[in-house]
Every structure is written in structure tokens, then in C-alpha cells.
Amino acid sequence: MSELSVVERLYFGRDDAERDFADGLLQEGFKETAAYNAVVSGRKMMVIGRKGVGKSAICVRLASAGAPHYGGTALITPDDAAGEEIRQFELAGLTGDHAKSLMWRYVFALRAAQYVVRHAADHTGRPPASVKALRSFLKANQELIGEPRDSSGFGQWLQGLRGSLSLEAFGVKASADFNQTPTEGARAAHRLRILEDGVRGAFVDLGCAPAHRLLLLVDQLEQVWSADVESNSLIIGLLLAARHLGSQYGSSLKCALFLRSDIYDALSFGEGDKFRSDELRVEWTGSDLEDLVLRRARASVRAELTAQQLWGGIFPRTVRGRDTASYLLSHALPRPRDLIQYLNECQSTAIGNGHHDRIHESDIVTATRRFSEWKLKDLVQEYLVAHPFLERLFPLFQNSGYLVTRAALRSRVEWTQDTLRREFPAYAQALTLDGIIRTLYEVGFLGVRRGHGTVYAGVPLLPVQPHEDEFHLHPCFREALGATSAAGIGAYDRLVADSIRGQVGSGHVDATARGVTRVSRGYALLGRLQRACRSILDRATRSDGLPAEVRTEIVTQVRRILDDTEHAPYAEPPVAEDRIVLAAASYFHSLASRLRRDAMDGGDVADGLAAHLTEQSTRLVRAVGGGLVGSGES
């Protein structure tokens, strides 16, 4: 079998952290980010970020490879099968948040008890009485607790907190000990304190903290979250329980929570301000993502690749006039999972096109279209629980410009608002113009123009302000929606121009020698078109209220028309001047219609330019149909 080429060996990893770790790339190509180091050091206990930013990668890395400075880790991942049970967990006499907090504290205490008993076996000598008591407790409740290395442990565990738990190992011999506690919630809190005191005593008696402390890792909470009151209470209870660990176990036990930002940001509770110093928002810079890509490329090809070899050797140096790395990063949301999928698709497309030695620009262009379609669908799935109406908003941007003003969006929303509210009555407040803009910005679909650049949702998340009225569709989604130009006007048809250039050639044309300087109707028509183009260019360049990208796009296309007309008189055989002028007039009319429809500046500037385009279009059509008109009319 022949050796695989470098492109065939190139691979950037799996979509999910668990398989990525199993394949080895998460181990060999893992980047120790600030978030990873903050968890290891214990400085932060909440890692917050969007889906795909690498939260689970950190969690899996710590759970599988072990955390430095810790004796062990315990992974807690509630699965969907237990979701309804833990969401609906209640204890009479307690609020929902408090009941959920006891539930999480109970789970933490059980996992800590299992760890202490296992870890005590590594110590020499007779185990302390407190450890023996924990071992007896686990044995007596094995049917409730399950196997010591059970990674989730929810199911029947909750029955123990409600009253089935045997606490005789701690000297509690009968249910009579709980007769003085009047409510179910108070009895559960009493049982839990007994268990927690037993675990804390065992940690103290072993005396090996903090060197052999335990790190609890809680991940994949989105599996059991449903954007309702019970789900929010579940997360709030988790936060309260995690904060309780410090006062209960000291340095013996730490906790790290990996939370989706949309879930965490939806919470509202009185003690929320007490967690700010524990938060760490995961944000990737362009240089961090480039470094991650290079690490994974090296790990897959088993070679010490340089950045120059990757971006210029394996990949082309540029794509559509931009540095390849910059092009790829701009067309993906700033998170590892998206970039991994995008780059793998580029590699797969190249192989499919028979390009085994290097990836071509055309491969990336093709992969970009497919990737854009994936991401549009993935965005719907990512926010299906919180924003079930999201997919119905995409047609507002279909086959249009990627730049949209507040005024244009208002008119588009008005077309569909009543229908959306009928289909999603529970979300009527979110389906206003401001609500739609806010949602599309927060999920990363739209960016807002601020200063001299476009800002997409990130950290910190500054909401869209009432005075901000220019929005840009993220490049990641433009191909899928057919919104690849600022104004959506399309390029001027160059077929005529290409024919002209082919006839003229690349050399200098002596107009006098060819005898084409005679004044004719066709020549005068082209002259009229040239004057119309120059007039439009002058008006466009002075339209300061027009978005810069739209103005640049209009100027570029009108200059192309002007360039075509300047070559036309020298073509042999003569070109059809009527056709050129009418095509340009039609294009000017389309430009005017687009400006009016999209209210590009929400004021008089776009209307004035649109009126000027319409005027020039009308004059050109009349000139073609009615013969020559005096040169002064342009």
C-alpha cells in the first residue's frame, strides 16, 4: 500500500470532545488555555461559553488525563433519561432552588465519599474510623448509590435523600431520630448534614489535602435543561451547592462547572452577584485559534509543520485575495468546533477533487458553501430550546445584502410579524423588532456596526443600543443565504466587456489608424453612458450617510460599467452600443430599487442617490429609443 500524501494525513479532530480524546488529537493537540489553567489552579469554578468553544474539551481532558495538583477527579454528567426526574425534584417545605441545592450537595457528597474510600486504600496503616464508617455507609446503600465509579449517579440516588438512605454507619439507628423535623425538606437537610459531616471527617482524618484533594467536574447540563422555571431552578441550585463546598470541605474538595452561556445568562436570582468572581468566560482570539489549528495539523501529519508550511504549502496562501487563515477564521464563529469542522471539510473536498498534494483555493470555496449550510442548520439546533422561532427569521435575509439597516429590517419584520406571533404565542414579546435584533445579535447571526468596525456578540456582551441602526450578517452564514455582497445588488454582467476585451486585445489601440473616431449614434450613446456613470460616481462618493460597504460596492460596479464603455468604441467588429447602454440603464434601475427597498441609511441620502440613478436610467432608455439627444442633458 502506498504511503498517504500530506493532505490525506491531515486531520483536525472530531466534533465532540469524548471521541476527540479517544482519537488522540485532544491529548496531543490540546492547548492549555487560560480557562484550563484557571480550573486547575482552583481560581475559577464556572467555565462559561457557547456550544463548541471547548468547555467539554477541558472537562474531558481533566477527567481522563487527571488534573495537576489533585488526587483525583469525578465527572458528573446528568443524562437525558434522568432529566425529567431531577428537573421535577421537590422537597416539601423548601423552595425549588433550595431543594435543588440539597439534591446537588447530596450528589457531591456521595461522589466524595466514594473517592475517599478508594483513596484511603493508597494510605499505609489502619484506616481511620471515619473512613470505615464511610465504607460501611456505601456498602449499606449500594442499591441506591450504584457502582463506585458510576459517572452520573442520579436515578435512584434521589430516593435516598427523600428517606430511603441508611445512616446507621454514622450512629443514626432509626427513623425516630428524624421525628423532631416536621417537613420533608427539613428531614432531607438533616440526613444530608450527617453525610457531609462524615465525608468531611474522613478527609480531615486522612490529612492529605490539598495534595490529594478531589476535583468534581459537572458538564453537559444542556441535556437536562428546558428553558423553564424548573430547569433554571436546577442550575441555580447547582451554583448554590458548588459555593457551599468551600465552607463544608475546605481545601479537600473543589468543583468546576461547565455551563452554556445562553443557559447561565438566562438565570435571575438574588444571589447571582455573589458568583461574579467565580465566572470565567471562554473566548478565543484569532491567534489562539491559529495556534490550535497548527498544533492539530502537526499531531495529524506527525511532522513539525511551521505556520508558513501550513498556510502556503498545504493550504493556498490566499483565498479570494485574503490570507487563507484570515479568510477561514472570518467565515467561522470563533470557536474550535466550527473551525475543526470547516478545515476537515476543506481537506475532504480536496481529496474528493483529486488534490492529494495540496488544498486548492477552489476546494476552500466549495467547502465554504457547504460549511455555511451546516452552520445555519446548527444554529437552529443550538438554540432550539431557547429560541424555537429562530429558523423562521432566516428568510428575512435570503438573497439580499449582508448589510441591513434597522429601517429595512423593520419593514421585513412587519411582513411576517403577525404570522410568527400566531405560531409562537409564548414568544410574542421576543418577536418585536427590538427583540428580533437582540436575539439575532446574541446568537451571533448579526453583528452591529460600531465605530469603524463590525462587532459580533462576544465578551463582554454589550447589548445592541437603540441608536445603532446598521447590522451585518455574519460571514459564516452568508453563502447559505445567498447574501454575499453588501447591498445584494450583484455584479454587473461582464459578458459584453469580455467580448470587447477579446476583440481589442491587450495592446495599445491607435484609434485614428483604425478609423473609429468618427462621430456616430453609437459612439454618442456610449459617451452619454460615460457621462451618466461619472455623474453617479460623483453623487455616490458624496453620499456620506450611506454605509461604507454599500457605497464601495456601488462605486466599484459603476466604474466597471464606465471601464467597459471606454473600450467599446475600439472593438472590431463593432459592438451593439444599444445593448450596452440598455444593460447599464437596467442595472442602474435595479440599484435604485434595492436602495429604496432596503432603506440603506434610513434617511434622505439613499433616497437621493436612488432618485439620481432612476433619472440617469430613464434618460439612457429614452436616448436609445428616441435617437441622439444633445450632449448637455447628462
Side-chain angles (χ1 to χ4, degrees), residues 443-483:
V443 303
F445 183 81
L446 284 183
V448 59
R449 183 77 174 187
R450 286 179 180 155
H452 298 292
T454 304
V455 178
Y456 296 94
V459 182
L461 180 60
L462 177 66
V464 175
Q465 302 301 299
H467 67 275
E468 294 175 326
D469 60 2
E470 181 182 326
F471 307 100
H472 291 223
L473 179 61
H474 194 288
C476 181
F477 310 108
R478 293 176 187 176
E479 291 281 352
L481 291 170

Side-chain angles (χ1 to χ4, degrees), residues 7 15 21 105 145 149 207 216 226 241 247-248 271 332 384 437 465 468 483 489 499 544-545 574 631:
V7 173
D15 295 347
F21 186 87
R105 284 170 53 188
I145 298 171
R149 295 184 183 275
L216 296 172
S226 299
S247 60
Q248 179 66 34
E271 297 185 82
L384 190 60
I437 290 174
Q465 302 301 299
E468 294 175 326
I489 56 177
S499 173
D544 294 335
S631 60

Side-chain angles (χ1 to χ4, degrees), residues 380-585:
V380 171
Q381 294 303 314
E382 181 177 351
Y383 291 98
L384 190 60
V385 174
H387 307 302
F389 54 84
L390 192 59
E391 186 175 19
R392 298 300 305 277
L393 301 180
F394 296 159
L396 301 178
F397 305 89
Q398 191 87 37
N399 298 321
S400 186
Y402 65 72
L403 189 155
V404 60
T405 63
R406 187 182 290 270
L409 194 51
R410 178 180 292 108
S411 64
R412 298 181 196 181
V413 168
E414 288 173 353
W415 298 339
T416 187
Q417 194 171 45
D418 289 343
T419 302
L420 288 172
R421 287 177 171 175
R422 282 197 302 270
E423 294 183 6
F424 303 97
Y427 297 87
Q429 290 184 338
L431 293 173
T432 63
L433 173 64
D434 288 340
I436 287 173
I437 290 174
R438 180 174 61 252
T439 297
L440 294 177
Y441 174 67
E442 289 177 354
V443 303
F445 183 81
L446 284 183
V448 59
R449 183 77 174 187
R450 286 179 180 155
H452 298 292
T454 304
V455 178
Y456 296 94
V459 182
L461 180 60
L462 177 66
V464 175
Q465 302 301 299
H467 67 275
E468 294 175 326
D469 60 2
E470 181 182 326
F471 307 100
H472 291 223
L473 179 61
H474 194 288
C476 181
F477 310 108
R478 293 176 187 176
E479 291 281 352
L481 291 170
T484 55
S485 68
I489 56 177
Y492 174 65
D493 186 358
R494 298 300 297 266
L495 291 178
V496 175
D498 292 341
S499 173
I500 294 170
R501 295 185 193 283
Q503 296 168 35
V504 175
S506 58
H508 174 70
V509 179
D510 185 342
T512 303
R514 289 179 177 266
V516 294
T517 57
R518 63 188 183 279
V519 177
S520 65
R521 177 179 182 276
Y523 188 80
L525 280 175
L526 293 175
R528 175 178 294 282
L529 177 54
Q530 290 174 19
R531 292 192 296 276
C533 288
R534 294 189 182 101
S535 179
I536 293 169
L537 287 172
D538 178 66
R539 187 65 174 262
T541 54
R542 290 186 289 108
S543 300
D544 294 335
L546 208 62
E549 289 88 345
V550 175
R551 186 169 62 248
T552 298
E553 193 169 296
I554 291 173
V555 168
T556 298
Q557 297 305 323
V558 175
R559 281 178 177 163
R560 295 178 76 181
I561 297 174
L562 180 60
D563 185 52
D564 290 350
T565 63
E566 289 174 344
H567 284 81
Y570 309 110
E572 289 186 359
V575 298
E577 293 90 348
D578 288 12
R579 177 186 171 192
I580 293 176
V581 174
L582 288 175

